[in-house]
Amino acid sequence: MRIPDYPSADAEKWSAVDEYFSHLLAPADAGLEAALQANARAGLPAHDVSAPQGKMLALFIRMQQAKRVLEIGTLGGYSTIWMARALPAGGQLISIEAEPRHAEVAVKNIANAGVSDRVEVHVGAALDVLPTLKAPFDLIFIDADKKNNPHYLQWALRLSHTGTVIIADNIVRGGAVADADSADPNVAGVREFLRMVAENPRLDATAIQTTGEKGWDGFAMAVVIAEPPHIS
Ligand SMILES: C[S@@+](CC[C@H](N)C(=O)[O-])C[C@H]1O[C@@H](n2cnc3c(N)ncnc32)[C@H](O)[C@@H]1O
């Protein structure tokens, strides 16, 4: 069992259920298993999505029939591999990672998993890399420094088309998201992100809280339902 990001008295039970679901519905293949082992050997933080969450991202890609996917926050490439495996032939996934050491491990994990042909890892701060990318993406997964989520949402909108799905991870943060007075910049970033999502008429969205091996957290999910207003 990994140490949950947001511990609770029920953490062991939540983890056991995740293990049961993973075993049944999201079994690790050799590439995914090797990625987690390589991440641990390299001393990367265990902030990867869980296996059921990785499978959920893969299913979103299949449901959406996404061909171009953007990920902000690669770490060791665990979620990247889950998503890359779900892409159709000719699909492309661009993942952005600020830490060169994380990116180096990710690139090796992605190659070992056999999905290098469809994945590009761009090394740099996301706010520097995003302006260099060609739009549009069909699905955008935001999973980096949460304080910058409001900026990532603006970029996601610029890089989207009607129908693009935007997912942001770790938005519950052990319940801290409900605290309007939180001094944590990550909580403030998530709250501002959610406010912007709620107020944007181009987006239709929801947020779901989850429990599992990472503790009590959750994700937001939005779909772009309209083109940006035409400015003449
Ligand atoms: C939660 S981890 C990503 C986990 C990964 N998506 C997975 O599930 O396997 C967040 C990653 O974002 C990276 N990161 C933090 N700030 C960043 C920034 N400004 N630009 C790009 N990446 C950043 C961190 O170095 C870390 O590797």
Side-chain angles (χ1 to χ4, degrees), residues 179-213:
D179 178 5
D181 300 322
S182 171
D184 180 341
N186 292 318
V187 172
V190 167
R191 286 181 62 89
E192 176 62 5
F193 167 90
L194 290 169
R195 188 194 65 75
M196 289 164 63
V197 168
E199 289 181 1
N200 193 319
R202 291 185 63 207
L203 292 172
D204 197 13
T206 191
I208 299 292
Q209 48 183 334
T210 58
T211 56
E213 63 173 76

Side-chain angles (χ1 to χ4, degrees), residues 68-97:
R68 285 195 87 223
V69 172
L70 172 64
E71 175 178 59
I72 307 176
T74 320
L75 189 62
Y78 183 72
S79 52
T80 321
I81 296 168
W82 270 110
M83 292 193 285
R85 289 227 193 285
L87 282 172
Q92 184 193 33
L93 191 161
I94 292 180
S95 188
I96 308 174
E97 175 53 55

Side-chain angles (χ1 to χ4, degrees), residues 49-225:
V49 294
S50 67
Q53 288 167 338
K55 182 68 180 283
M56 181 188 75
L57 292 169
L59 290 176
F60 285 156
I61 287 174
R62 288 198 207 285
M63 287 186 242
Q64 164 81 345
Q65 297 187 311
K67 291 191 176 61
R68 285 195 87 223
V69 172
L70 172 64
E71 175 178 59
I72 307 176
T74 320
L75 189 62
Y78 183 72
S79 52
T80 321
I81 296 168
W82 270 110
M83 292 193 285
R85 289 227 193 285
L87 282 172
Q92 184 193 33
L93 191 161
I94 292 180
S95 188
I96 308 174
E97 175 53 55
E99 284 289 336
R101 206 170 53 83
H102 296 183
E104 193 186 325
V105 175
V107 167
K108 284 189 191 146
N109 286 338
I110 289 161
N112 183 53
V115 290
S116 301
D117 57 333
R118 67 207 84 153
V119 178
E120 281 175 28
V121 177
H122 291 227
V123 186
L127 291 178
D128 294 333
V129 175
L130 287 162
T132 69
L133 301 180
K134 187 173 144 283
F137 292 92
D138 306 310
L139 184 140
I140 300 175
F141 178 45
I142 302 174
D143 191 20
D145 49 338
K146 287 16 180 193
K147 68 178 190 310
N148 274 320
N149 272 15
H151 299 295
Y152 298 150
L153 178 64
Q154 284 168 332
W155 274 106
L157 284 163
R158 279 181 208 136
L159 295 170
S160 66
H161 56 77
T162 303
T164 294
V165 169
I166 300 170
I167 298 156
D169 200 11
N170 309 125
I171 58 134
V172 173
R173 315 194 71 74
V177 71
D179 178 5
D181 300 322
S182 171
D184 180 341
N186 292 318
V187 172
V190 167
R191 286 181 62 89
E192 176 62 5
F193 167 90
L194 290 169
R195 188 194 65 75
M196 289 164 63
V197 168
E199 289 181 1
N200 193 319
R202 291 185 63 207
L203 292 172
D204 197 13
T206 191
I208 299 292
Q209 48 183 334
T210 58
T211 56
E213 63 173 76
K214 296 176 75 181
W216 177 21
D217 212 334
F219 63 95
M221 182 172 166
V223 62
V224 178
I225 55 170

Side-chain angles (χ1 to χ4, degrees), residues 14-23 50 52 211-214:
W14 295 343
S15 192
V17 172
D18 252 356
E19 210 176 299
Y20 169 62
F21 287 162
S22 307
H23 185 69
S50 67
T211 56
E213 63 173 76
K214 296 176 75 181

Side-chain angles (χ1 to χ4, degrees), residues 1-8 11 15 45-48 212-215:
M1 179 180 149
R2 75 169 126 178
I3 298 172
D5 296 347
Y6 301 102
S8 138
S15 192
H47 289 162
D48 341 68
E213 63 173 76
K214 296 176 75 181

